[in-house]
Amino acid sequence: MSDIEIARKANKKPIQEIGAKLGIPSQHLLPFGHDKAKVSAEYIKSVSGNKDGNLILVTAINPTPAGEGKTTTTVGLGDGLNHIGKKAAICIREASLGPNFGMKGGAAGGGYAQVVPMEDMNLHFTGDFHAITSAHNLLSAMIDNHIYWGNELGIDQRRIAWRRVLDMNDRALRQITTSLGGVSNGFPAEAGFDITVASEVMAILCLASNLEDLQRRLGDMIVAYRRDRSPVYCRDIKADGAMTVLLQQAMQPNLVQTLENNPAFVHGGPFANIAHGCNSVVATTTALKVADYVVTEAGFGADLGAEKFFDIKCRKAGLSPKAVVIVATARAMKMNGGVAKADLGAENVEAIKKGCANLGRHIENVKKFGVPLIVGINHFVKDTDAELEAIREYCTAMGVEAVVNKHWAEGGKGIAEMAQKVVDMIEAGGAAYKPLYPDEMPLAEKIETIAKEIYRADGVSMDKKIRDQLKAWEDAGYGNLPVCMAKTQYSFTTDPNWRGAPTGFELPVREVRLSAGAGFVVAICGEIMTMPGLPRVPSAENIRINDEGHIEGLF
Amino acid sequence: MSDIEIARKANKKPIQEIGAKLGIPSQHLLPFGHDKAKVSAEYIKSVSGNKDGNLILVTAINPTPAGEGKTTTTVGLGDGLNHIGKKAAICIREASLGPNFGMKGGAAGGGYAQVVPMEDMNLHFTGDFHAITSAHNLLSAMIDNHIYWGNELGIDQRRIAWRRVLDMNDRALRQITTSLGGVSNGFPAEAGFDITVASEVMAILCLASNLEDLQRRLGDMIVAYRRDRSPVYCRDIKADGAMTVLLQQAMQPNLVQTLENNPAFVHGGPFANIAHGCNSVVATTTALKVADYVVTEAGFGADLGAEKFFDIKCRKAGLSPKAVVIVATARAMKMNGGVAKADLGAENVEAIKKGCANLGRHIENVKKFGVPLIVGINHFVKDTDAELEAIREYCTAMGVEAVVNKHWAEGGKGIAEMAQKVVDMIEAGGAAYKPLYPDEMPLAEKIETIAKEIYRADGVSMDKKIRDQLKAWEDAGYGNLPVCMAKTQYSFTTDPNWRGAPTGFELPVREVRLSAGAGFVVAICGEIMTMPGLPRVPSAENIRINDEGHIEGLF
């Protein structure tokens, strides 16, 4: 059966029953249909005094076209923990709507380790992204409107730092000119649209601890500069209050369920290549107050997702993760070892041994954050014993345990062994989380530290203009912010085709941006696209409601 | 107390209890929070064999800055009918999000005749408009994407008839150029955004009888023309299936409640000046299957809203309204009689007698549709007995009863007298609905018929190009469509300042547009704005969540 066929056969329970597993009373669950709910802000406040459960991060090797199953493992581990009698919840990100009409939509997990309702999660879900789109574009309209009515703030219209967003793959909107057509339409200007997940509002929603913090961060966003280069803030435009009103409901985390009827928080969805790529702080902290074990994931490989999880999310939200799972597959190891996708079906132990260098580097990297780790091998039916054994041997040599997990085929019981090992690891109490670099390190040095310690670059190339910009931000009081690296997810380098464990390269920093509201400095390395386009034959052409009333073509 | 203070003190019942009043089982109500729900498509199908209740239209004189209270009367009449023991529901339109950040948001009714939850209804509500925005812009992206990848359909890029939409007041987006920045962004082109309520997708959602009809109509939309002027349809772009998937949930009508806990369907929200301005056919027909009396309204004055309600909505949906209420106020009569807004506080019977000419013409017009009518005078505290008596006398002279209603201050019992009269009128069985013109009348003649019969213009000025265009559409098989007039709502003429009952004018038709999916030909008379702008001090600047957690500044 395909993922969607399995998902459609799910024996879903009313969302109130799922909430009850965590002790959330039904009046504090705002239902969206019968199988989705938002947890009320009042309830979240009421449990703030509870003891925190144990936070487990699931991360992975660099993604390959073979697929790794990071979300599948996150879902499976949550079910596995419940299977062995623990009170566990998972926390994952929401899917972006636009890209589903280009390529097929993403399931939340796979096989018997999925979160449902899958259709809703790939469509409007509970409307969070629409709220972010509205809030973002309200600010855009208010900036242009301010200039239209006299520009009292003295905005330099050539230096507007705030674009517009749509949750749509639409390359025609990347670069546009606005306000054409005469006096009543304003002053013609260059502008453009990004996809909603790339919005700083999205990053803020995912990092804010509550509504007050949300509004303060929105107010802090820099939207433009004056001719003297002084910044104009969202607060100056007086948009922060209305944006907060638009986002009030979106700030409440969404509760759904796994195929095994275990609780799953699905909230927030920032890009992991240009933003910090983690689900919301509100969802994670709430889950920790109501569950003993919380399994979450971070976008892409450990070089991007886990590093940002530790250095941005955990640092800023005061989280202290207790264990890390690094997901690997025999297939992905083979691709890292140089095998083409077409040849993945054949056993190739040598390629696996070679490809394990990628896994090894992620293991070394994660160890730097002080949290004990385990390798979860996501089992595929064609994997051979010799291949799996080769990965295990490699991990043992590095002093790390590796477990083969069969949650895809068997659900929670297929990953129960690893779930128990994770619990044992946590109970052994070895976790002592620490970020990679201290707050007070200069910004350029933070970039260099990540480049050298995590990517293993020989150094960073950054021209004087960028160094001056970083220095100027330090002088303006932003020096204590962490750095958010924007880089291809496919390689430790900026070359997406350079797999394995590269050495002997420099990391080129092309541009730096200040996300003053989200609270990080973005360092853009290589090419990054903030508004995707549709392919020659978009999947939208085949999406429809079939005669049985099912959505076809979305998955 | 203000409207919002009254609304906040509402003793709301769980939406399942409201549904139960109409016999809708809770498993067929898809909840959105505890006080909103969508009625499932399965349930709607299951009651399709029920006998229809009685449909009552609430319309009004031409709107003035004094306010008429058409929605207030609609809500009040629904409560009044329930008050006298009838099983009644109301059907109104959803509010547009964008304009709320310019001027203050619109309440759904006022005083003790309101629909709640008011905040939600002025914000994201159940996400219907966001779904329409997504579906509309998916088609826009797919058109440009088709051209980008080779333009197999041979679209003339200068003749793209499909813009983009946002639910935002953003004048900067009215006229733009897209696809700048080089090869990978496409071919530079002129484009623009309208506000979401102006979308043909909105009109279609409001006129479609079910999902199949929705998809067929979406497919029928003309999105561009080739060099030989032949049309390219949405179906050719293959976007209709995915758009239907995006709109599947939005097609289900929303159920909320009045302050007196009576059922209110709130669904769809097309502009009444450029579209047909009525709530959805699905909501109205569903309400008629589950209630004995259904009160609905049409946008703006009877010249625009009621005419379109009869000639487009009723004609196309096979509805047969049984009674009409025309709402008038002493204040609005005075303004129609030449009194300035500042002087409305003083008694002025002479001005009322003069202003009644506007009411009189609407009475004559509505009579042409064969449905019995009554005038509902919406009482304001400063109205004098002499003023109210003057309106009543005028109506009596025209052979129409007029009742003073106090639902604003007293809720349903304040309008019980008129509710009973409406019931008596319906039971007397005098209704024999007929449209103003037959389907087979040529398009230009339909426009002239409305101009002369409803607006009382001496004639229509329309240049040869427009007449040729109408003729071409007739030849292409669109001659049987009704006409949707786009005209200012403030006057029978195209001059918004010409109040009262003007004569001796021509109606200039500036442009005609074919909405092949919605199923009407739009005749644009005078200036009509499809993307509003924000005022000098947008209300958004004062919208915020206050210390009690209430939304401030939205109302």
Side-chain angles (χ1 to χ4, degrees), chain B residues 259-546:
Chain B
L259 291 177
E260 300 188 0
N261 309 122
N262 293 314
F265 291 93
V266 180
H267 197 219
F271 265 16
N273 40 11
I274 58 158
H276 69 293
C278 301
N279 79 293
S280 79
V281 163
V282 170
T284 304
T285 53
T286 302
L288 286 169
K289 295 297 181 187
V290 293
D292 297 327
Y293 295 88
V294 174
V295 188
T296 190
E297 64 171 350
F300 300 128
D303 55 327
L304 277 177
E307 187 272 315
K308 293 174 183 181
F309 170 79
F310 286 121
D311 280 328
I312 299 176
K313 183 174 174 179
C314 291
R315 181 199 304 258
K316 290 295 165 186
L319 298 170
S320 187
K322 296 289 184 289
V324 176
V325 176
I326 302 181
V327 178
T329 63
R331 291 159 55 86
M333 290 294 96
K334 278 191 268 192
M335 283 199 92
N336 265 294
V339 175
K341 197 178 176 186
D343 303 326
L344 286 176
E347 184 182 84
N348 192 334
V349 174
E350 280 318 300
I352 287 202
K353 284 183 180 169
K354 200 172 152 215
C356 274
N358 183 272
L359 171 61
R361 188 171 285 180
H362 288 295
I363 291 172
E364 287 171 10
N365 285 348
V366 166
K367 282 182 175 173
K368 296 180 182 176
F369 295 95
V371 183
L373 68 96
I374 192 167
V375 170
I377 304 172
N378 188 20
H379 184 258
F380 278 70
V381 280
K382 288 194 176 168
D383 295 349
T384 70
D385 288 346
E387 288 177 329
L388 297 170
E389 192 49 39
I391 303 175
R392 257 193 305 245
E393 270 173 22
Y394 180 89
C395 293
T396 308
M398 290 201 68
V400 173
E401 193 162 10
V403 185
V404 176
N405 297 315
K406 299 193 170 175
H407 49 279
W408 188 87
E410 301 172 14
K413 73 171 189 291
I415 194 173
E417 183 195 349
M418 188 176 82
Q420 187 58 54
K421 284 181 194 288
V422 168
V423 169
D424 294 344
M425 203 158 76
I426 290 170
E427 287 183 354
Y433 156 71
K434 58 175 195 296
L436 187 69
Y437 52 82
D439 287 354
E440 52 276 15
M441 185 184 276
L443 292 169
E445 213 177 301
K446 284 172 181 162
I447 295 171
E448 278 155 22
T449 301
I450 297 167
K452 289 183 181 169
E453 296 273 321
I454 303 293
Y455 309 155
R456 317 298 171 91
D458 294 336
V460 168
S461 64
M462 214 190 288
D463 66 21
K464 185 174 175 301
K465 200 175 142 196
I466 292 178
R467 291 192 186 269
D468 289 349
Q469 177 64 80
L470 292 173
K471 188 71 184 49
W473 286 334
E474 283 164 5
D475 294 342
Y478 295 109
N480 277 343
L481 294 184
V483 162
C484 182
M485 303 298 281
K487 184 185 72 67
T488 176
Q489 61 268 33
Y490 297 111
S491 172
F492 282 103
T493 74
T494 53
D495 172 3
N497 297 314
W498 197 352
R499 296 219 171 87
T503 52
F505 65 93
E506 288 241 309
L507 186 80
V509 176
R510 206 186 73 216
E511 185 189 337
V512 285
R513 291 182 193 165
L514 173 59
S515 291
F520 49 67
V521 170
V522 181
I524 297 171
C525 315
E527 284 298 319
I528 288 291
M529 189 74 83
T530 53
M531 172 52 99
L534 292 170
R536 182 182 290 271
V537 182
S539 68
E541 291 188 4
N542 298 307
I543 294 175
R544 63 182 197 99
I545 298 168
N546 68 19

Side-chain angles (χ1 to χ4, degrees), chain A residues 233-464:
Chain A
Y233 299 95
C234 169
R235 188 174 293 112
D236 301 326
I237 300 290
K238 299 180 185 160
D240 50 321
M243 292 172 77
T244 304
V245 166
L246 280 167
L247 295 167
Q248 183 175 25
Q249 191 166 271
M251 262 297 280
Q252 301 174 344
N254 307 297
L255 182 67
V256 288
Q257 63 192 289
T258 68
L259 291 178
E260 300 189 359
N261 310 121
N262 293 313
F265 291 94
V266 180
H267 196 219
F271 264 15
N273 40 12
I274 59 157
H276 69 293
C278 300
N279 79 294
S280 79
V281 163
V282 170
T284 304
T285 54
T286 301
L288 286 168
K289 295 298 181 186
V290 294
D292 298 326
Y293 294 88
V294 174
V295 187
T296 190
E297 63 171 349
F300 299 127
D303 54 327
L304 277 176
E307 187 272 316
K308 293 175 184 181
F309 171 81
F310 286 122
D311 280 328
I312 299 176
K313 182 173 175 179
C314 291
R315 182 199 304 258
K316 290 296 165 187
L319 297 170
S320 188
K322 296 291 183 288
V324 177
V325 175
I326 302 180
V327 177
T329 63
R331 290 159 55 86
M333 290 295 96
K334 278 191 269 192
M335 283 201 93
N336 265 294
V339 175
K341 197 179 175 187
D343 302 326
L344 287 176
E347 183 181 86
N348 192 335
V349 175
E350 279 319 297
I352 286 203
K353 285 183 179 167
K354 200 173 152 214
C356 274
N358 184 271
L359 171 61
R361 189 173 283 179
H362 288 294
I363 291 172
E364 287 171 11
N365 285 348
V366 167
K367 282 182 175 174
K368 295 180 183 176
F369 295 95
V371 182
L373 68 96
I374 190 167
V375 170
I377 303 171
N378 188 19
H379 183 259
F380 277 69
V381 279
K382 287 194 177 169
D383 295 348
T384 70
D385 288 346
E387 288 177 330
L388 297 170
E389 191 50 38
I391 303 175
R392 255 193 306 246
E393 269 174 22
Y394 180 89
C395 293
T396 307
M398 289 200 70
V400 173
E401 192 162 10
V403 185
V404 176
N405 296 316
K406 299 192 169 175
H407 48 280
W408 188 88
E410 301 173 13
K413 74 172 187 293
I415 193 173
E417 182 195 349
M418 187 175 83
Q420 187 58 54
K421 284 181 193 292
V422 168
V423 168
D424 295 344
M425 203 158 76
I426 290 170
E427 286 182 354
Y433 156 71
K434 56 175 197 296
L436 187 69
Y437 51 81
D439 287 353
E440 53 276 15
M441 184 184 275
L443 292 170
E445 215 177 300
K446 285 172 180 161
I447 296 170
E448 275 154 4
T449 301
I450 296 167
K452 289 182 180 169
E453 296 271 324
I454 302 294
Y455 309 155
R456 317 299 170 91
D458 293 337
V460 168
S461 63
M462 213 189 289
D463 65 23
K464 185 172 173 302

